[in-house]
Amino acid sequence: MREVERVLAANEAFYTAFAARDVEAMEGLWSQRAPVACIHPGWQPLHGRDSVLASWRDIMSSPTSPPIRCTDPVAHMLGAAAVVICTERFPGAELVATNVFVEEDGAWKLVHHQAGGVARPSGDDEGETLH
Amino acid sequence: MREVERVLAANEAFYTAFAARDVEAMEGLWSQRAPVACIHPGWQPLHGRDSVLASWRDIMSSPTSPPIRCTDPVAHMLGAAAVVICTERFPGAELVATNVFVEEDGAWKLVHHQAGGVARPSGDDEGETLH
């Protein structure tokens, strides 16, 4: 499998774990050694594996946690790191996300995630924004 | 200067160019060779140096472009790549941003930017979110 396909597979595994509320799988997908951060939509940034994984445990344990599906992933390879940009689809809502990975012990692991809302669904022109 | 300080200086230069509406400086801050992407708040993702820089030219040429200030930057080094997470402060508004850099010809260059709103200003508890 080419590196880009391995990165996209790691990205898909992230959304599979999220949709399945599989805490153990989610913990295994994040880097053990690299610095880790996460910006959930509307949240202040979280830094550090403990804070980030605690946030995912809280989110995935919520009975109102909506189903999520990832579409249109694009991976940009940056040597030993990679950025995946994708759309997160929820019932009635759409977010866009940045997921950053590093290679660790032969596998691509998450080190950063940011998701944010889009003013208009994909296909429309760009929305009005602060910048 | 340590690498982390050089990355933080590149991040600061990005916001200085943005605030000054300095198109030439902005163009020099983005990678020439690595794959480039950008997610402005509320927008669909942009891919490719031409699309990304065209968006910055449009944004910086707007007479309603608000002043911006970057605070609380944290750099996470990932070998030949780096992620900076910071707060973008506008009059009456606050965004959080991810900026990804790669080293190119001895300088740290932007390859990706995502900014999104926060539900509550820094210091408050986390806001209600989709995830």
Side-chain angles (χ1 to χ4, degrees):
Chain A
M1 198 186 289
R2 293 187 308 144
E3 285 307 307
V4 66
E5 289 164 352
R6 293 178 63 228
V7 168
L8 289 172
N11 191 67
E12 185 61 31
F14 167 63
Y15 288 104
T16 300
F18 189 172
R21 304 183 191 181
D22 185 337
V23 170
E24 196 175 340
M26 181 62 83
E27 289 181 351
L29 289 165
W30 286 79
S31 171
Q32 293 281 350
R33 293 193 297 275
V36 158
C38 187
I39 306 174
H40 296 293
W43 292 35
Q44 294 293 330
L46 302 174
H47 290 277
R49 185 177 159 90
D50 288 351
S51 295
V52 170
L53 288 179
S55 74
W56 284 109
R57 280 193 297 273
D58 285 349
I59 288 164
M60 295 195 296
S61 69
S62 165
T64 59
S65 170
I68 184 172
R69 195 164 55 88
C70 165
T71 65
D72 311 306
V74 176
H76 290 185
M77 306 303 295
L78 307 170
V83 174
V84 177
I85 292 144
C86 60
T87 300
E88 299 182 347
R89 296 188 189 280
F90 298 88
E94 185 178 308
L95 303 177
V96 287
T98 298
N99 296 315
V100 185
F101 297 82
V102 296
E103 200 164 20
E104 188 172 282
D105 302 332
W108 288 95
K109 299 290 183 178
L110 274 160
V111 289
H112 182 55
H113 165 82
Q114 178 170 5
V118 286
R120 303 183 195 185
S122 40
D124 283 11
D125 291 334
E126 285 130 7
E128 290 295 320
T129 64
L130 265 174
H131 70 80
Chain B
M1 199 186 288
R2 292 186 309 143
E3 284 306 305
V4 65
E5 289 163 354
R6 294 177 63 229
V7 168
L8 289 172
N11 191 67
E12 187 61 31
F14 167 63
Y15 288 103
T16 300
F18 188 173
R21 303 184 191 182
D22 185 336
V23 169
E24 195 175 340
M26 182 63 83
E27 290 181 349
L29 290 165
W30 286 79
S31 171
Q32 293 282 349
R33 293 193 297 276
V36 158
C38 187
I39 306 174
H40 296 293
W43 292 35
Q44 293 294 330
L46 302 173
H47 290 276
R49 185 177 158 89
D50 289 350
S51 296
V52 170
L53 288 180
S55 75
W56 285 108
R57 281 194 296 274
D58 286 350
I59 288 164
M60 295 195 297
S61 68
S62 164
T64 59
S65 170
I68 183 172
R69 197 165 53 88
C70 165
T71 65
D72 310 306
V74 176
H76 290 183
M77 306 304 295
L78 307 170
V83 174
V84 178
I85 292 143
C86 59
T87 299
E88 299 182 349
R89 296 186 190 281
F90 299 86
E94 184 178 309
L95 303 177
V96 287
T98 297
N99 295 315
V100 184
F101 296 82
V102 295
E103 200 165 21
E104 188 172 281
D105 302 331
W108 288 94
K109 299 290 183 177
L110 273 160
V111 290
H112 181 56
H113 166 80
Q114 177 170 6
V118 285
R120 304 182 194 183
S122 40
D124 284 13
D125 291 334
E126 286 129 8
E128 291 296 319
T129 63
L130 266 175
H131 70 78

